[in-house]
Amino acid sequence: MADVTIPAGKYMVDPYLDWSRREGVPIHEDFGLDLLGVETRPWPRYGVNGAIVHVKGRGDCMTVFLLDIPPGGRTAPQQHIFEAAFYVLSGHGSATVDRYAGERHQFEWGPASVFAPPLNTRYQLFNTSGREPARIAVSCNLPAVLNLFHNEKFVFDNPAVFPEREGAQAHFSGEGDFIPIKPGKHMWETNFLPDARRFKLHEWGARGAGASHIQVILADGVLHCHISEMPVGTYKKAHRHAPDVHVYIISGEGYSLLFYEGDKEMTRVDWGPGWVFAPPDMMFHQHFNSGAEPVRYIAFTQGSVRYPLTEQMRRVYARIDQDMKKGGNQIEYRDQDARVHAMFVAELARKGLVPKMEPFA
Ligand SMILES: [Fe+2]
């Protein structure tokens, strides 16, 4: 076959990746990363230093931006047709969000704050400390939107309004609405969660030993967010789902094992506060608390229990905590590889800790 020179922009185009390379900031790629340790450089779009993070389990829809706001600094104002959920890794500051009609909300954020400006509202972030920098992770679905429309003006300079997503006034000040569904699916609806470290979670025993959980609906968007906690001396059951679920460790230390059905070997990722990783598509993953404190983490993806978006997600969410032997997507403790528990016991012994799994066996 003769060599063919393919004209640029005519074949296998990925508008999001092309955009990300043009932004001029470092793009960090790995299975998992310590977000507190990665390099940032000036990002003209945001007016502060930043970086882009692509983890291995990233799917087609989500990406992560890192923003560093210097002491006394501020981002450039932003407005865009993609959903963005902000998770504060470190530092203190404030945010302004302008409703479509012009009314301005202002709220104060700090470590482990979570917030999402309603779609295409104008917002700006400020570091209110005179000494301490602030680092913020932004989980967003720009890849999905830019690859669908491949038109940057549509995404970044669009007058469309979505008043049905603005939410109640109180949703900008840290209040919210609890919407009971069932264990593992209870929702908290808001635009701003002041401190994910202290937010009340609800029991979800079917997911694993002493597990607790809440689904967070942010600005009535299609981004999924949940917060989970594992008590000391415990680990969760292995489960699997679609890719793109970015897991951020809020507090505690531990590791995750990842493997595909039938694999002889497992991949291990050790993590602590500030780490992010995403289990690849339908790869089983199992989280272990191997430290002396509870482990709490927060996860973001596109497609929520409110707006699942895909048939696969509807199917997986419906059976996320059901035994895979009965058609679900979870491995019960009694069926897991014997090496899994042995590794956990050895890991704790090394640190002088004891497992507390007996009541759940
Ligand atoms: Fe998961």
Side-chain angles (χ1 to χ4, degrees), residues 40 62 66 114 128 189 198 250 289 309 335 355-356:
T40 59
M62 297 289 291
L66 266 190
V114 179
T128 52
E189 179 155 15
R198 295 184 178 84
I250 297 173
N289 181 350
L309 294 185
D335 299 322
K356 295 179 179 162

Side-chain angles (χ1 to χ4, degrees), residues 207 226 236-242 245 247 277 279 283-287 297 299 320:
R207 168 50 94 229
H226 75 255
K236 298 182 81 170
K237 298 174 186 174
H239 69 284
R240 62 184 175 182
H241 46 66
V245 183
V247 178
F277 62 96
M283 190 174 194
F284 279 107
H285 47 283
Q286 189 164 12
H287 308 311
Y297 58 86
I320 194 86

Side-chain angles (χ1 to χ4, degrees), residues 35-54:
L35 293 176
L36 297 170
V38 304
E39 182 208 7
T40 59
R41 284 208 292 267
W43 195 343
R45 178 181 301 283
Y46 283 96
V48 295
N49 281 9
I52 296 173
V53 174
H54 290 161

Side-chain angles (χ1 to χ4, degrees), residues 134-271:
R135 178 163 280 200
I136 299 177
V138 190
S139 282
C140 64
N141 64 348
L142 176 63
V145 176
L146 199 47
N147 283 347
L148 187 57
F149 294 101
H150 57 86
N151 180 307
E152 290 181 30
K153 189 170 187 310
F154 177 88
V155 174
F156 293 102
D157 183 15
N158 189 323
V161 296
F162 302 83
E164 69 282 4
R165 296 185 182 220
E166 286 189 300
Q169 189 100 344
H171 288 187
F172 291 90
S173 60
E175 298 299 315
D177 300 309
F178 179 66
I179 303 170
I181 306 284
K182 62 178 183 176
K185 297 289 182 288
H186 296 316
M187 296 176 190
W188 179 256
E189 179 155 15
T190 190
N191 299 347
F192 170 47
L193 205 61
D195 190 346
R197 296 171 302 187
R198 295 184 178 84
F199 194 73
K200 178 181 166 51
L201 307 184
H202 299 264
E203 271 184 36
W204 189 15
R207 168 50 94 229
S212 56
H213 181 95
I214 189 83
Q215 304 271 337
V216 186
I217 306 293
L218 292 164
D220 196 30
V222 302
L223 290 196
H224 159 95
C225 171
H226 75 255
I227 304 170
S228 293
E229 187 166 305
M230 282 186 286
V232 172
T234 68
Y235 59 86
K236 298 182 81 170
K237 298 174 186 174
H239 69 284
R240 62 184 175 182
H241 46 66
D244 251 342
V245 183
H246 289 72
V247 178
Y248 298 82
I249 307 301
I250 297 173
S251 56
E253 288 181 3
Y255 63 92
S256 295
L257 294 177
L258 299 102
F259 54 95
Y260 289 106
E261 190 173 3
D263 278 356
K264 294 274 183 290
E265 299 304 321
M266 294 175 266
T267 299
R268 173 172 163 161
V269 181
D270 290 72
W271 39 250

